[in-house]
Amino acid sequence: MDSFDKSCNVAKHNYDECFQKWFNRFLKNRDTNLNVCDAEFREYQQCLKKAMKEEKLDFKEFEEDILGTEKEYKPPPPK
Amino acid sequence: MKYFEDTTTFKYSWDQVVTGFWRRYPNPESSHVLTEDTLSRELKENKLYTKRMLTKTNRLPKWGERFVGNRVVKIIEESILDLQNKTLVTYTRNIGYSSVMSVVERVEYRVDTDNHNQTIAVRSAWIDSSVFGFGRAIQSFGLERFKKNCGKMVSGFNFVLNQLYPTHGTQLPRETVSHSKDRLSDAANKAKSIAKSGPYYASCAPEN
């Protein structure tokens, strides 16, 4: 799948590939060493964050965590 | 605010479903999804926290266009994958235009306790609009579109899972489709009879 900025595609796909390999080891062998993809992630993020800045995206909205917090929506009570 | 809830069974193990989750796009049903990026990812005590940004086209009926100029909408998808308890919870919301229409979706993927080779996905969605005079119409439109896209999401995800695990799972069987159609019309009839603003339970609408 393409990145938000096409110029980040190569870095993104390198990272995705590294992550997916690690994820298989995580499921099968409980390999918790996600750091193996740090270099790929850093390169990808450098490109992506620059592209997001150029688009003037509001980072605050992106950084906010909702899941697992009080702000998470709850289903209405059953009737 | 409108509320929607649905449960889907995937004929794949939880390990397979969560592996497929990261490769869900593109698929033949996801032409409205344009891009996908990982913004952050962290592993804490066997829980994987991920935040992704998706961009999607946001097709609106003619009368809705006056409220939204830019038709590409950005979606934030947070997820927590708990390896210990074998759950994956995803929480998505749109960024920008959220006063026009906000769609929040929470999906929890867990092992089917009756059949460990299957995975249950419980989907909840909240659709809101605070456009003066049009809020209710936009909510109804948003709900209908969500139900339609929801069926696409399921069949698109099944397509990806079948590509990854062709010998394991079965294609979405015919009877499931017609079954959910029946459930949909039942649900639609039921929906007519319940209060318009009340909680709304229905099944994902298959794409016609």
Side-chain angles (χ1 to χ4, degrees):
Chain A
M1 195 67 194
D2 275 354
S3 168
F4 171 69
D5 190 308
K6 285 199 168 36
S7 71
C8 304
N9 274 350
V10 173
K12 182 213 187 271
H13 292 140
N14 284 341
Y15 170 69
D16 280 352
E17 204 184 313
C18 183
F19 168 73
Q20 276 155 11
K21 279 182 189 158
W22 169 80
F23 189 74
N24 286 337
R25 297 194 298 272
F26 177 58
L27 286 183
K28 287 198 184 87
N29 316 318
R30 309 243 154 176
D31 172 2
T32 55
N33 189 20
L34 177 57
N35 302 347
V36 291
C37 299
D38 274 0
E40 285 84 352
F41 192 66
R42 221 174 299 130
E43 198 185 328
Y44 169 36
Q45 292 301 303
Q46 257 171 21
C47 185
L48 180 66
K49 296 281 147 78
K50 189 171 153 255
M52 287 173 70
K53 225 173 240 170
E54 278 165 12
E55 277 284 306
K56 296 193 170 60
L57 297 183
D58 180 5
F59 282 88
K60 266 192 203 140
E61 250 186 312
F62 289 89
E63 277 160 9
E64 191 182 13
D65 289 324
I66 308 278
L67 179 61
T69 72
E70 286 292 298
K71 288 175 272 184
E72 204 182 303
Y73 282 173
K74 298 280 181 292
K79 287 198 167 172
Chain B
M1 188 184 296
K2 295 215 183 259
Y3 176 71
F4 171 85
E5 194 178 277
D6 171 71
T7 301
T8 309
T9 302
F10 289 97
K11 295 185 182 307
Y12 298 86
S13 71
W14 184 83
D15 283 29
Q16 290 173 327
V17 168
V18 299
T19 301
F21 179 76
W22 308 115
R23 305 176 184 212
R24 217 151 47 118
Y25 306 120
N27 68 62
E29 307 276 8
S30 73
S31 57
H32 63 295
V33 181
L34 305 174
T35 69
E36 167 213 79
D37 280 291
T38 302
L39 300 179
S40 65
R41 184 167 270 143
E42 236 186 316
L43 186 67
K44 283 186 282 188
E45 293 157 6
N46 273 331
K47 285 186 187 171
L48 182 66
Y49 296 77
T50 303
K51 191 178 277 171
R52 298 199 294 181
M53 176 179 77
L54 304 166
T55 63
K56 299 184 180 182
T57 56
N58 193 17
R59 286 184 214 99
L60 285 173
K62 269 270 169 274
W63 57 262
E65 282 176 8
R66 73 172 99 173
F67 304 115
V68 183
N70 188 343
R71 302 232 216 126
V72 174
V73 64
K74 291 175 189 71
I75 311 277
I76 295 294
E77 175 204 85
E78 292 172 76
S79 61
I80 303 176
L81 183 141
D82 183 339
L83 189 58
Q84 208 67 45
N85 297 310
K86 291 207 177 227
T87 56
L88 168 64
V89 180
T90 69
Y91 194 89
T92 57
R93 62 200 150 96
N94 55 309
I95 291 281
Y97 310 114
S98 50
S99 63
V100 177
M101 180 158 80
S102 93
V103 179
V104 171
E105 182 197 30
R106 183 187 192 278
V107 187
E108 185 165 341
Y109 299 89
R110 54 170 190 251
V111 179
D112 182 350
T113 47
D114 295 331
N115 179 350
H116 285 246
N117 294 319
Q118 296 193 151
T119 304
I120 305 262
V122 179
R123 183 186 311 274
S124 306
W126 297 261
I127 293 150
D128 203 5
S129 171
S130 47
V131 176
F132 183 75
F134 285 88
R136 180 162 277 188
I138 293 173
Q139 283 176 29
S140 298
F141 163 76
L143 179 67
E144 287 313 307
R145 190 181 62 182
F146 182 86
K147 283 178 353 198
K148 231 178 174 181
N149 283 347
C150 174
K152 277 181 165 183
M153 280 187 270
V154 172
S155 56
F157 199 172
N158 267 316
F159 176 89
V160 170
L161 289 166
N162 190 49
Q163 297 283 107
L164 286 170
Y165 309 104
T167 52
H168 174 86
T170 48
Q171 276 280 24
L172 197 62
R174 278 254 166 255
E175 67 252 59
T176 307
V177 176
S178 55
H179 175 63
S180 61
K181 256 184 186 163
D182 290 345
R183 272 171 61 202
L184 180 73
S185 56
D186 286 351
N189 289 330
K190 211 164 85 188
K192 276 178 196 159
S193 62
I194 58 172
K196 275 178 191 164
S197 57
Y200 186 35
Y201 301 89
S203 80
C204 287
E207 188 65 359
N208 294 316

